[in-house]
Amino acid sequence: MSLIPYNRVKLARDSERPTGLDYIKNIFRGFMEFHGDRRFADDHAIIGGIARLNGHPVTVIAIEKGHTAKERTYRNFGAAHPEGYRKALRLMKQAEKFGRPIICFVDTSGAYCGIGAEERGQGQAIAENLMEMSTLCVPVISILIGEGGSGGALGLAVADRVWMLQNAVYSVISPEGCASILWKDASKAEAAAARLKLTAEDAKSLGVIERILSEDDIGKKEFYERIRTLLAEELSELSNDLDLVGKRYERFRRIGADVVNK
């Protein structure tokens, strides 16, 4: 039976749901994490480094929430500071330099909106990622594994292929935030979620994503093996494309076009 959108939101936020680190540990081999943005600090909400996918070197970047209260506090609940996005961009540019494909795992309610983050250029950091990712000359795949909130998610999702797990969500704002703005009442989040078109099926129908990943066996060995196989196949195809940047540009130009033209 199909779940109402707000129930999808609750599943996407479940603390038992696999996080970015779980995917890295179970899909890749030899992961070596890199730290810092070379400007201010190391943001624990975004992790990244190099690893091997079926023996081939790749750059892996993930927004990490953690599972326990202690882990979630350490990871700032997946709400990245500007230095996290700058670290991610540093690793992407490094990947481009050495010809490594990039794989991103996205799970955030949104970028951190504290005073310090704003003072250090949160908006600029995300905008710079959007601009630079659009012109990367290596394949980029982004997978929304939980929440995909606002620019905080989009800062790692300007990719050649964007996938979503079946119960992940992707929206311009959280349902609670939307309800607070529209009706001055965050308790109307369920009604807001129904209008935000935030489910994987909505995103696919709008052309925002290319693939929905089943969660029937989520967290099991078979689940990670299936994603590993799909990633390897997709990267093999993208690596032979001589016009990645042009097609990436056209991909984002097409989003929602079919709906507007109806």
Side-chain angles (χ1 to χ4, degrees), residues 245-261:
V245 175
K247 290 181 179 177
R248 192 181 303 138
Y249 171 81
E250 291 299 331
R251 177 196 183 280
F252 282 90
R253 291 284 293 176
R254 286 195 306 270
I255 290 177
D258 292 339
V259 177
V260 173
N261 292 330

Side-chain angles (χ1 to χ4, degrees), residues 8-207:
R8 295 281 185 94
V9 175
K10 291 178 181 177
L11 285 173
R13 293 171 174 171
D14 191 339
S15 63
E16 297 301 314
R17 190 178 183 84
T19 64
L21 267 176
D22 295 318
Y23 287 85
I24 291 174
K25 291 175 181 177
N26 287 281
I27 293 175
F28 305 94
R29 298 291 179 268
F31 177 66
M32 180 183 296
E33 185 177 358
F34 293 166
H35 298 273
D37 67 342
R38 300 296 185 266
R39 297 188 191 183
F40 182 76
D42 183 39
D43 186 356
H44 303 302
I46 292 184
I47 57 177
I50 56 176
R52 290 191 176 273
L53 177 69
N54 289 354
H56 299 285
V58 294
T59 288
V60 186
I61 301 168
I63 299 177
E64 172 63 23
K65 281 185 174 180
H67 291 289
T68 66
K70 183 177 180 180
E71 289 172 350
R72 292 200 158 200
T73 301
Y74 179 71
R75 300 293 181 182
N76 203 33
F77 297 85
H81 291 77
E83 44 271 20
Y85 292 101
R86 292 180 178 127
K87 173 171 66 174
L89 181 57
R90 178 174 74 84
L91 297 180
M92 291 182 207
K93 297 301 287 186
Q94 181 194 76
E96 182 179 45
K97 177 179 179 180
F98 293 102
R100 290 192 300 266
I102 300 165
I103 300 169
C104 299
F105 295 95
V106 179
D107 185 13
T108 181
S109 60
Y112 187 60
C113 55
I115 293 175
E118 298 297 338
E119 289 176 340
R120 296 193 302 277
Q122 183 72 285
Q124 182 186 22
I126 294 173
E128 193 172 357
N129 275 31
L130 306 186
M131 180 181 69
E132 294 289 347
M133 288 185 75
S134 68
T135 61
L136 289 170
C137 295
V138 292
V140 185
I141 297 177
S142 293
I143 306 177
L144 287 105
I145 59 174
E147 287 187 276
S150 192
L154 193 58
L156 291 183
V158 180
D160 302 293
R161 300 287 186 271
V162 181
W163 301 347
M164 283 180 70
L165 264 68
Q166 183 179 353
N167 292 315
V169 294
Y170 198 11
S171 64
V172 69
I173 191 173
S174 71
E176 293 82 5
C178 179
S180 296
I181 292 171
L182 291 182
W183 302 301
K184 312 300 181 185
D185 186 357
S187 69
K188 294 184 178 180
E190 183 174 320
R195 291 164 172 77
L196 280 170
K197 301 292 183 182
L198 47 66
T199 68
E201 291 81 5
D202 290 327
K204 194 168 189 301
S205 69
L206 290 169

